Amino acid sequence: MDNEQMAIRTTYFSIAGNTALALIKGLAGVFGNSYALIADAIESTTDIFSSILVLLGLRYASRPADENHPYGHGKIEPLITFMVVAFLVFSATVIAFESIENIQTPHRVPKYWTLYVLGAIILWKEMSFRYVMRRGKESGSSSLQADAWHHRSDAITSVTAFVGITTALIGGPGYENADDWAALLASAFILYNAYLIFRPALGEIMDEHVHDDLIEEIRLIASGVDGIEDTEKCYVRKSGMRYHIDLHAHVRGELTVRQGHDIAHRLQDELRRALPQLGQVLIHIEPA
């Protein structure tokens, strides 16, 4: 299975999981008198739409390069990530607003059984985060890694809800609002996670230099190609799940143009063989 197909299948997993959990949290929140669970359901609902966006983005990004997009369509990925961040900010704002309103409104203590529901949700969402994040790193998909953080933020909101409901149940009368304060705290965690997702996506759009490990690997591979004396400049920019390379390589100065050209192609082929995640590989030959 290639990286694109792996990322797309993982997104289907996120959509199915978020849909089921949104229903479970919503019903448990309504019948269990817990706004923290209802807030959790709101976030899971926005997660469904953000996962659908990720899926559409991944399908578009997997299109091959064409005349109008010689470097492929991968730049759609960080743009989709920005939209995922917008969903996170929106859900955090809604949760914070509703929490403040509920804090000012008297209501009943949540039901004790909601803690069992939350415990199962926390376990599932943390496992989902680890699975989707692993797939995102394996495929090199920034939008899939952003989707993974949705699972982690969901787990965090569920933890705060668990603490809030526990406090309300132990404290009894006068502590009914602990559940709502927990939801308000969860909204702050969600906003912080939104920033963690936004920052690397911005770096990808701006072609930020963050690929030192890959550059070292490229130089090591180049040093083993017959005819390459040394390497100089090496620039890497990420587009979707592909890395486009500009590399300056030194060869002996007395070689003919054709010999230098052949060495450059050998280096190009070796890099693509060793690093299948590479896209365009431009080799600039210089005399040693």
Side-chain angles (χ1 to χ4, degrees):
M1 187 194 310
D2 61 20
N3 287 340
E4 287 83 1
Q5 288 302 313
M6 178 197 299
I8 288 170
R9 290 190 183 186
T10 306
T11 307
Y12 282 123
F13 166 83
S14 290
I15 293 171
N18 288 328
T19 302
L21 286 179
L23 289 170
I24 293 169
K25 291 175 184 178
L27 291 171
V30 170
F31 291 106
N33 304 322
S34 170
Y35 180 68
L37 262 172
I38 295 173
D40 230 357
I42 291 171
E43 195 203 354
S44 288
T45 302
T46 62
D47 287 352
I48 297 168
F49 293 108
S50 68
S51 292
I52 291 172
L53 273 177
V54 171
L55 175 63
L56 295 174
L58 287 171
R59 286 193 173 279
Y60 184 84
S62 64
R63 292 182 178 182
D66 55 36
E67 186 176 347
N68 291 328
H69 305 88
Y71 289 97
H73 300 76
K75 285 296 184 184
I76 192 69
E77 273 221 69
L79 297 178
I80 290 294
T81 302
F82 293 154
M83 297 176 72
V84 171
V85 168
F87 270 106
L88 274 175
V89 172
F90 173 76
S91 63
T93 303
V94 170
I95 290 169
F97 179 78
E98 293 292 334
S99 298
I100 292 169
E101 281 205 334
N102 279 313
I103 286 169
Q104 300 169 350
T105 306
H107 56 79
R108 290 176 293 173
V109 175
K111 303 285 188 181
Y112 75 91
W113 54 262
T114 57
L115 292 176
Y116 296 109
V117 176
L118 278 169
I121 289 170
I122 292 166
L123 182 61
W124 172 255
K125 293 305 287 185
E126 182 61 24
M127 290 170 61
S128 297
F129 165 76
R130 293 174 184 273
Y131 171 73
V132 177
M133 179 59 77
R134 186 175 72 250
R135 292 291 195 176
K137 289 180 177 178
E138 287 173 359
S139 63
S141 170
S142 60
S143 61
L144 193 59
Q145 291 177 52
D147 201 37
W149 275 106
H150 269 290
H151 293 291
R152 170 56 66 81
S153 67
D154 217 358
I156 290 170
T157 56
S158 296
V159 168
T160 57
F162 190 96
V163 172
I165 292 172
T166 302
T167 304
L169 289 170
I170 293 174
Y175 285 86
E176 297 90 348
N177 291 337
D179 176 47
D180 306 308
W181 282 105
L184 185 60
L185 178 62
S187 68
F189 276 115
I190 294 169
L191 287 174
Y192 176 66
N193 280 328
Y195 169 76
L196 294 179
I197 296 168
F198 172 80
R199 184 62 188 83
L202 179 63
E204 186 172 333
I205 283 286
M206 298 298 293
D207 291 329
E208 188 176 0
H209 177 75
V210 291
H211 307 293
D212 287 324
D213 290 344
L214 180 57
I215 288 174
E216 283 301 314
E217 199 169 356
I218 289 168
R219 293 192 190 282
L220 183 63
I221 293 167
S223 67
V225 174
D226 187 36
I228 298 294
E229 301 287 317
D230 197 5
T231 54
E232 191 185 342
K233 298 172 185 174
C234 183
Y235 300 126
V236 176
R237 50 200 173 96
K238 188 172 183 289
S239 180
M241 287 172 270
R242 299 290 174 184
Y243 296 85
H244 302 300
I245 310 299
D246 295 331
L247 177 64
H248 288 225
H250 291 181
V251 300
R252 297 200 316 275
E254 65 272 16
L255 297 180
T256 64
V257 172
R258 182 174 297 279
Q259 288 172 319
H261 174 82
D262 290 343
I263 292 172
H265 271 280
R266 283 204 302 273
L267 174 55
Q268 203 174 56
D269 293 341
E270 183 60 24
L271 287 172
R272 285 212 174 96
R273 185 198 63 76
L275 302 169
Q277 70 270 37
L278 297 187
Q280 296 280 355
V281 179
L282 178 63
I283 307 296
H284 179 79
I285 293 295
E286 294 187 5

